[in-house]
Amino acid sequence: MALAALAEELTAMAAADHEMAVIGAAHSDDPAEQLAWRRLTARHGDRLNEIMDEVGWPTADLVGEDAARAAWLIAQHADRQLDVQRRALRLLEEAVRAGAAGSRDLAFLRDRTLVNEGREQVYGTQIAGVRDDGSPIPWPCAEPERVDELRAGVGIEPFAEYVARYS
């Protein structure tokens, strides 16, 4: 597949993901919307797996900044495809080590994968829900006392600023 076509496909997938997210399909009370979200993310996860077979991790150098970001988003939302998420995490780790991808995206994907495995997150990027007063409930962190230090190390704002956006 030509890289320009691949870039176009990835950005189109992210746009479809965004459209579903805007209507709140993932957390909807409507089972049909939830099912549509699950089908979309599963289809995208399957396709990302094929893309990783073809090119490895689709870095910005390979497919452009927007398409690389789209690949990361697709991996983030492959919550019911842990094999795809774990593979994306490994390939993204390699890309970060090679200087071809950012550690911020890696931190978010690492936390998402850990939470999906039922483990404590590292960077405090994943929110479990929202209390009645509107304050966010983060998933548990392995080292809560070091979260801001770890976040700063990968270019993520302090935890309090991050969760304030969810309030």
Side-chain angles (χ1 to χ4, degrees), residues 30-110:
D30 180 352
E33 284 183 359
Q34 284 182 23
L35 184 58
W37 171 257
R38 288 180 184 194
R39 285 180 177 153
L40 178 82
T41 56
R43 195 168 55 249
H44 288 174
D46 290 346
R47 181 61 186 128
L48 180 61
N49 209 32
E50 292 170 355
I51 290 167
M52 291 186 295
D53 285 342
E54 294 169 23
V55 301
W57 185 253
T59 62
D61 288 345
L62 197 62
V63 296
E65 200 66 48
D66 290 345
R69 184 77 180 166
W72 169 82
L73 179 72
I74 293 160
Q76 267 302 93
H77 290 169
D79 293 320
R80 288 170 189 80
Q81 294 167 289
L82 263 172
D83 56 329
V84 173
Q85 230 171 31
R86 287 176 180 136
R87 183 178 183 200
L89 182 64
R90 282 192 308 273
L91 291 174
L92 185 54
E93 284 171 342
E94 291 171 15
V96 168
R97 276 195 300 275
S103 55
R104 185 181 196 280
D105 285 349
L106 179 60
F108 274 84
L109 186 56
R110 173 167 286 125

